[in-house]
Amino acid sequence: MQSPCTMSESVLSLFRLLGSISGILQVTSLFILVLLLLKVAQFYLQRQRLLKAVQHFPSPPSHWLYGHSREIKKDQGLQLTLKWVEKFPSAYSRWLWGTKCQLSIHDPEYIKVVLGRTDPKVQESSRFMAQWLGYGLLLKNGQAWMEHRRMLNPAFHSNILKNYVETMADSMQVMLDKWEELISHSPHLEIFGHISLMSLDTIMKCAFSYQGNVQTDKNSQYYTKAIENLATMLVTRIRNIFYQNNIIYRLTPEGRRNLRACQLAHEHTDRVIRLRKAQLQKEGELEKVRQKRHLDFLDILLFARMENGSSLSDKDLRAEVDTFMFAGHDTTASGISWILYALASHPEHQQRCREEIQSLLGDGASITWDHLDQMPYTTMCIKEALRLYPPVPGIGRELSKPITFPDGRSLPKGIIVLLNFYALHHNPLVWPNPEKLYREAVCHV
């Protein structure tokens, strides 16, 4: 049995412990409160800085916290852009949320000023894409970009491109044969997936020396689907304030889906590199490739790695392959799909294109390089469709120094500028009646 003194000491110890815990909680609460106040002050000062920076560029009304995000809905962003282009000549400020603002420009003279500078790509969106594509040409800046661009430039020599026309035609014929079979069962056909596989098949054979049939390979279908998902999730992440932190994003269901899609994309590109390395190890193959006047894209990368490993690491190699595998097929597939949509929507122009091509090729002849400059009307229809539906609707730059536009308005260093090509292509001050699919200049050729 405890003595009264012992019991008193136990009670006092308990009160001291509770007092200590209470003190710790009070200090913790005070610390959190101070931290919160600092964040609020930081938010306020950052917002005021941005408001001052873009004060000469009117914008649609925006909420102080969620900006224009409610207006820019998933399927209405482009329609909203058209309204803002008409209302705000040259440029307007666009708020994603409280401290995330960019100046969207759609005046050719404004865009010319930005493209005449060397401002870097937007680091924040580059950081998100780098998890998928690595730092290839699409995300590199400055001297590193220049060195890789110079190294890869020979892969796009016109003499190489001439040799690719037959391969492109063969890949297209495989897709058309599939379509013939599919439409015999149903008159409706969703074309984008098939065109994605066809363009992937083309880039794999032309740039990566691939010898299989991508259009019948299930792994390739998984890859194109993964790329489609990654592109969608990238847009969602850029617009969502809660997805900006990598750790938080990876804990979300979408973050986990993003990681899985990245893995599928990387498995595909790793397999392509591995297969080409194995081919080059065959007897006589390496020497035969060395004697070629112009190397394919992947061979240029592999030879650079073999001959000067310090200039091109394995990480750099995969980043360039990931970048060109994606850029070489996805934007191409998007562009072709919209061109076909535009022609289908205007059968009179589609018929003129058909007649022009039939008069050139006859029945059953395959297209060649020399035919490409003998289709003026078809070429203009293609360009006009790409004006209305650009596969890349815009690019961003982060100002490395202040900029002044032709009308005297200016921006300080650090502001993000969006070169909004979609808005430029629909700017009524540049294109009279911009929504008309084919302008009079095309129609009267």
Coordinates of all heavy atoms in Angstrom, one line a residue, residues 23 33 44-45 51 60 62 84 122 159 198-199 219 235 245-246 298 324-325 337 353 356 359 364 366 377 395 404:
G23 N 1.7 22.8 -22.4 CA 2.6 23.8 -22.8 C 3.1 23.5 -24.2 O 3.2 24.4 -25.1
L33 N 0.1 28.7 -36.0 CA -0.6 30.0 -36.3 C 0.3 31.0 -36.9 O 0.0 31.6 -37.9 CB -1.2 30.6 -35.0 CG -1.9 31.9 -35.1 CD1 -3.1 31.7 -36.0 CD2 -2.3 32.4 -33.7
Y44 N -0.6 36.9 -50.0 CA -1.1 38.3 -50.3 C -0.1 39.1 -51.1 O -0.4 39.7 -52.1 CB -1.4 39.0 -49.0 CG -1.9 40.4 -49.2 CD1 -3.2 40.7 -49.6 CD2 -0.9 41.5 -48.9 CE1 -3.5 42.1 -49.8 CE2 -1.3 42.8 -49.1 CZ -2.6 43.1 -49.6 OH -3.0 44.4 -49.7
L45 N 1.2 39.0 -50.6 CA 2.2 39.8 -51.3 C 2.5 39.3 -52.7 O 2.7 40.1 -53.6 CB 3.5 39.8 -50.5 CG 3.5 40.5 -49.1 CD1 4.8 40.2 -48.3 CD2 3.3 42.0 -49.3
L51 N -0.7 41.1 -59.6 CA -1.7 42.1 -60.0 C -1.1 43.4 -60.5 O -1.5 43.9 -61.5 CB -2.6 42.4 -58.8 CG -3.7 41.4 -58.4 CD1 -4.3 41.7 -57.1 CD2 -4.7 41.2 -59.5
P60 N -10.8 38.8 -67.9 CA -12.2 38.5 -67.4 C -12.2 38.5 -65.8 O -11.1 38.2 -65.2 CB -12.5 37.1 -67.9 CG -11.5 36.9 -69.0 CD -10.3 37.7 -68.7
S62 N -12.1 37.3 -62.1 CA -11.6 36.1 -61.6 C -11.8 36.1 -60.1 O -11.8 37.2 -59.4 CB -10.2 35.9 -61.9 OG -9.4 36.9 -61.4
W84 N -12.8 35.3 -75.2 CA -11.8 36.2 -74.6 C -11.0 36.9 -75.7 O -10.5 38.0 -75.6 CB -10.9 35.5 -73.6 CG -11.7 35.1 -72.4 CD1 -13.0 35.5 -72.0 CD2 -11.2 34.3 -71.3 NE1 -13.3 35.0 -70.8 CE2 -12.3 34.2 -70.3 CE3 -10.1 33.6 -71.0 CZ2 -12.2 33.5 -69.2 CZ3 -10.0 32.9 -69.9 CH2 -11.0 32.8 -68.9
V122 N 8.8 27.1 -69.3 CA 8.2 27.2 -68.0 C 8.7 26.0 -67.1 O 8.4 24.9 -67.4 CB 6.7 27.3 -68.0 CG1 6.1 27.4 -66.6 CG2 6.2 28.4 -68.9
N159 N 17.2 14.2 -97.6 CA 17.5 12.9 -98.2 C 17.0 11.7 -97.4 O 16.6 10.7 -98.0 CB 19.0 12.8 -98.5 CG 19.4 13.7 -99.6 OD1 18.7 14.1 -100.5 ND2 20.7 14.1 -99.6
M198 N -1.0 4.0 -86.4 CA -0.3 4.1 -87.7 C 0.8 5.1 -87.6 O 1.9 4.8 -88.1 CB -1.4 4.6 -88.7 CG -0.8 4.8 -90.1 SD 0.0 6.4 -90.4 CE -1.4 7.5 -90.1
S199 N 0.6 6.2 -86.9 CA 1.7 7.2 -86.8 C 2.9 6.6 -85.9 O 4.1 6.9 -86.2 CB 1.2 8.5 -86.3 OG 0.6 8.4 -85.0
N219 N 1.2 -4.6 -77.2 CA 2.1 -3.7 -76.3 C 2.1 -2.3 -76.8 O 2.1 -1.3 -76.0 CB 3.5 -4.2 -76.3 CG 3.6 -5.5 -75.5 OD1 3.0 -5.7 -74.5 ND2 4.5 -6.4 -75.9
V235 N -2.6 18.0 -68.0 CA -3.4 19.1 -68.0 C -4.2 19.3 -66.7 O -4.2 20.4 -66.1 CB -4.4 19.1 -69.2 CG1 -5.4 20.3 -69.1 CG2 -3.7 19.1 -70.5
N245 N 2.5 19.6 -55.5 CA 3.5 19.0 -54.7 C 3.6 17.5 -55.1 O 2.6 16.8 -55.2 CB 3.2 19.1 -53.2 CG 4.3 18.5 -52.4 OD1 4.3 17.2 -52.1 ND2 5.2 19.3 -51.9
N246 N 4.9 17.0 -55.4 CA 5.1 15.7 -55.9 C 4.6 14.6 -54.9 O 4.0 13.6 -55.2 CB 6.5 15.4 -56.3 CG 6.9 16.1 -57.6 OD1 6.1 16.3 -58.4 ND2 8.2 16.4 -57.8
L298 N 17.6 7.1 -83.9 CA 18.1 6.3 -82.8 C 19.5 6.0 -83.0 O 20.3 5.9 -82.0 CB 17.2 5.1 -82.6 CG 17.6 4.2 -81.5 CD1 17.7 4.9 -80.1 CD2 16.6 3.0 -81.4
F324 N 10.9 11.9 -78.6 CA 10.5 11.8 -80.0 C 9.5 10.7 -80.3 O 8.8 10.7 -81.3 CB 11.8 11.6 -80.8 CG 12.5 12.9 -81.2 CD1 13.3 13.6 -80.2 CD2 12.2 13.6 -82.4 CE1 13.9 14.8 -80.5 CE2 12.8 14.8 -82.7 CZ 13.6 15.4 -81.8
M325 N 9.5 9.7 -79.4 CA 8.5 8.7 -79.6 C 7.1 9.3 -79.4 O 6.2 9.0 -80.1 CB 8.7 7.5 -78.5 CG 7.8 6.3 -78.7 SD 8.4 5.3 -80.1 CE 9.9 4.6 -79.4
S337 N -6.1 13.5 -87.6 CA -7.5 13.2 -87.2 C -8.3 14.5 -87.4 O -9.5 14.4 -88.0 CB -7.6 12.8 -85.7 OG -6.9 11.6 -85.5
C353 N -10.2 17.7 -103.2 CA -8.9 17.1 -102.8 C -8.8 15.7 -103.4 O -7.8 15.3 -103.9 CB -8.8 17.0 -101.3 SG -8.6 18.6 -100.4
E356 N -8.1 16.0 -107.1 CA -6.7 16.4 -107.3 C -5.8 15.2 -107.2 O -4.9 15.0 -108.0 CB -6.4 17.5 -106.4 CG -5.0 18.1 -106.6 CD -4.7 19.2 -105.6 OE1 -4.6 19.0 -104.4 OE2 -4.5 20.4 -106.1
S359 N -6.2 12.5 -110.0 CA -5.7 13.0 -111.3 C -4.1 12.8 -111.3 O -3.5 12.7 -112.3 CB -6.0 14.4 -111.6 OG -5.4 15.3 -110.6
G364 N -4.6 3.3 -107.9 CA -3.7 2.3 -107.2 C -2.3 2.7 -107.1 O -1.5 2.0 -106.4
S366 N 1.1 4.4 -105.8 CA 1.5 4.9 -104.4 C 2.1 6.3 -104.5 O 2.8 6.6 -105.5 CB 2.4 3.9 -103.8 OG 2.8 4.3 -102.5
Y377 N -4.1 22.4 -103.9 CA -5.4 22.6 -103.2 C -5.4 21.7 -101.9 O -5.8 22.2 -100.8 CB -6.5 22.2 -104.1 CG -7.9 22.6 -103.5 CD1 -8.3 23.9 -103.6 CD2 -8.7 21.7 -102.8 CE1 -9.5 24.3 -103.1 CE2 -9.9 22.1 -102.3 CZ -10.3 23.4 -102.4 OH -11.5 23.8 -101.8
I395 N 2.4 27.3 -76.3 CA 3.7 27.0 -75.5 C 3.9 28.2 -74.5 O 3.4 29.3 -74.7 CB 4.9 26.9 -76.5 CG1 5.1 28.2 -77.3 CG2 4.7 25.7 -77.4 CD1 6.4 28.1 -78.1
T404 N 9.0 44.6 -73.3 CA 8.1 45.6 -73.7 C 7.5 45.3 -75.1 O 8.3 44.9 -76.0 CB 8.8 47.0 -73.8 OG1 9.3 47.3 -72.5 CG2 7.8 48.1 -74.2

